[in-house]
Amino acid sequence: MAETYIGGFHAVIAAIEDGGVKPREILLAETRRDARAEKLIDIAAKRNITVRKVARDILDIRAPGLRHQGVLAAIEASDLGGEEIIDLPATPERLILALDGVQDPHNLGACIRTSDAVGVDAVVIPKDRAVGLTPAVRSAAAGSAERVPVVAVTNLVRKLEQLKQLGYWVVGLAGEGDESLYDVDLTGPLVLVMGGEAEGLRRLTRECCDRVVRIPMKGDRIESLNVSVAAAVCLYEAYRQRNHKPAKVARKK
């Protein structure tokens, strides 16, 4: 089985404690003798995971370009979730984030992290023309990639149509959307669809959506938000509508 690496203390500890795939071993820079390193060693020992101290150069070679903070965890590479995770009858609490061609690993990682924070059931990405669940994505997700299922599908539009048939409401985001995000009901079984960095929502994806909304912005100086920022705005609005009633606070006179 092919291996990949998770880097950074948050991501590695999450893989040990919460991940569905147990790390084969952990590589720790021999220069790390601080409290975070000791905590990691203790957690790994309780779960019978080997921690091997190596020169920091070894970590750079194993995961080039990854900000590993002096720690890597070796895991099986093929740990994307299967489509059975999302091919379920819609229930009111179900919330899925679909990303239409996100290319930047830091954007995908940030989207996964926000998804974890608001209780998204799965993040759906295309298998082609999009970044996958790489070590850089895992690092940016800071442990959330080990908690939120990420499902890669061959045809995103076809999968959205299947989810609609299962009872989901599909809402896409685009700058030219007809309605404001804050005027749309985001409760119930929902798929939020965000476009990629360059093209936004592709035409076929947009046509598949039940509604296309926009994030209102003051003035015209900014054309659009970064996809990970836009995803956070939309997901937290969905979270607010699903979990919080308007506060009744009297104004001070």
Side-chain angles (χ1 to χ4, degrees), residues 106-107 110-111 114 173 181 194 215 224-236:
H106 296 94
N107 281 335
C111 288
T114 303
L173 180 77
L181 170 71
M194 319 293 298
I215 297 174
S224 63
L225 298 174
N226 174 280
V227 62
S228 62
V229 175
V233 172
C234 293
L235 288 173
Y236 267 98

Side-chain angles (χ1 to χ4, degrees), residues 10-104:
H10 283 302
V12 170
I13 290 174
I16 296 172
E17 295 184 329
D18 306 321
V21 179
K22 180 180 176 181
R24 182 180 61 80
E25 70 171 351
I26 293 168
L27 305 180
L28 181 66
E30 55 193 7
T31 54
R32 293 297 304 240
R33 301 185 180 92
D34 51 88
R36 295 181 81 184
E38 292 301 321
K39 177 183 177 182
L40 175 67
I41 292 170
D42 182 61
I43 293 172
K46 291 177 180 177
R47 289 162 176 80
N48 298 315
I49 298 173
T50 300
V51 177
R52 185 157 58 93
K53 292 192 176 183
V54 298
R56 195 177 187 94
D57 290 348
I58 298 296
L59 303 182
D60 296 334
I61 293 170
R62 295 287 182 93
L66 182 65
R67 296 180 182 177
H68 50 66
Q69 301 176 315
V71 61
L72 292 174
I75 64 168
E76 293 181 0
S78 58
D79 61 346
L80 284 169
E83 293 188 29
E84 68 277 1
I85 294 172
I86 54 176
D87 290 344
L88 299 171
T91 52
E93 73 282 357
R94 294 281 292 176
L95 176 60
I96 294 172
L97 175 66
L99 300 172
D100 186 18
V102 170
Q103 302 281 346
D104 187 280

